Amino acid sequence: MEKLVNVYFFGKKYEVPESLTIMKAMEYAGYQLVRGCGCRNGFCGACSTIYRIKGDRELHACLACQQKVENDMYVATLPFFPLVKQVYDIEKIKPTEQIMMQLYPEIYACIGCNACTKACTQGLNVMQYIAYAQRGQYAECAEESFDCVMCGVCSSRCPAGISHPQVAELSRRLYGKYMAPETGHLLDRVKEIEDGKYVSLIEDLMQKPIEELKELYNNREIEK
């Protein structure tokens, strides 16, 4: 029989198999997860969770679908990690240093504690991409933050109240809209879609059984 460990969910003790992730352990214990489930494979950021181990005063943050349970783990989930999302029209703003000052001025209050980087569930150098954003280096910020899943854990540990994922998203949008080189084949494909070239093909796919769709997907030609 698989070894069981003691885990505390919201203060209540449960014995669960040690091979389970926090998310699966909660379901094993009888919790019905209706929020914070997301993709369940570690790339959507929906299941941000905080925990600590008995005898250890440090508070840890993780994604519940990635982190395995440990003995004497105390777990608490939150419905969301608060982020400030400014409203803007990407068609009207430009990639200047001033736009970041206008929309997210709190990034200039960064004290360089690096708590954001230490907390990142994806292992990103968060403080570095914020530094790029401060200097208006949006291409570098976009590259450094490319794997961000918007879980918000970094912001939960920030004493300056910076919404790091939103800063990164703005940088990526500015880069994609104004700085990245145009991809001709993508523009051509969008035009073909708008002209209705693929309507009949899509309708045909919608009529196929699921097994045939799987076969088509697994043997598709992948663009290089």
Side-chain angles (χ1 to χ4, degrees):
M1 184 176 179
E2 187 174 350
K3 180 181 177 181
L4 301 178
V5 294
N6 296 323
V7 180
Y8 298 81
F9 295 129
F10 308 103
K12 188 174 181 180
K13 180 180 176 181
Y14 299 90
E15 289 187 337
V16 302
E18 65 175 353
S19 64
L20 298 182
T21 63
I22 291 175
M23 181 177 286
K24 289 182 178 178
M26 292 184 72
E27 293 176 320
Y28 180 92
Y31 286 88
Q32 182 181 5
L33 303 180
V34 295
R35 290 188 303 183
C37 297
C39 67
R40 305 179 70 87
N41 288 303
F43 294 101
C44 74
C47 59
S48 300
T49 301
I50 55 176
Y51 73 91
R52 72 175 182 86
I53 306 300
K54 185 177 181 179
D56 181 3
R57 298 183 63 181
E58 184 177 357
L59 190 65
H60 303 272
C62 67
L63 296 181
C65 65
Q66 289 184 337
Q67 182 68 41
K68 283 190 175 182
V69 294
E70 299 179 43
N71 192 46
D72 287 336
M73 173 186 274
Y74 289 77
V75 178
T77 61
L78 298 176
F80 61 90
F81 278 72
L83 296 173
V84 176
K85 182 178 181 179
Q86 300 295 352
V87 177
Y88 52 84
D89 185 342
I90 194 64
E91 301 290 343
K92 295 180 180 179
I93 63 175
K94 301 296 180 182
T96 64
E97 189 172 342
Q98 287 70 31
I99 192 60
M100 197 62 74
M101 292 180 182
Q102 295 170 14
L103 294 173
Y104 295 104
E106 63 272 16
I107 68 173
Y108 301 97
C110 174
I111 62 174
C113 67
N114 211 30
C116 53
T117 299
K118 294 177 182 177
C120 180
T121 59
Q122 298 299 101
L124 303 182
N125 192 341
V126 182
M127 192 175 76
Q128 180 60 65
Y129 78 61
I130 290 297
Y132 285 139
Q134 289 172 334
R135 299 193 291 266
Q137 295 176 258
Y138 300 124
E140 290 83 353
C141 182
E143 177 67 25
E144 195 72 43
S145 68
F146 185 78
D147 290 324
C148 174
V149 294
M150 308 291 289
C151 69
V153 169
C154 55
S155 297
S156 73
R157 307 302 294 271
C158 179
I162 299 171
S163 294
H164 310 75
Q166 299 296 349
V167 172
E169 185 174 60
L170 173 56
S171 293
R172 292 195 296 272
R173 286 174 172 172
L174 289 170
Y175 174 71
K177 174 67 175 177
Y178 297 106
M179 304 167 70
E182 287 191 350
T183 51
H185 69 292
L186 178 59
L187 295 175
D188 292 341
R189 182 57 55 85
V190 171
K191 181 64 166 56
E192 290 173 349
I193 293 172
E194 291 175 342
D195 291 342
K197 181 178 179 179
Y198 300 99
V199 171
S200 60
L201 175 61
I202 293 173
E203 291 177 346
D204 180 55
L205 287 173
M206 291 174 67
Q207 303 303 317
K208 293 184 181 297
I210 188 67
E211 291 304 320
E212 186 175 348
L213 288 174
K214 289 180 179 179
E215 185 68 20
L216 288 170
Y217 178 81
N218 291 331
N219 293 285
R220 70 194 186 282
E221 182 180 347
I222 299 177
E223 182 182 6
K224 295 182 180 179

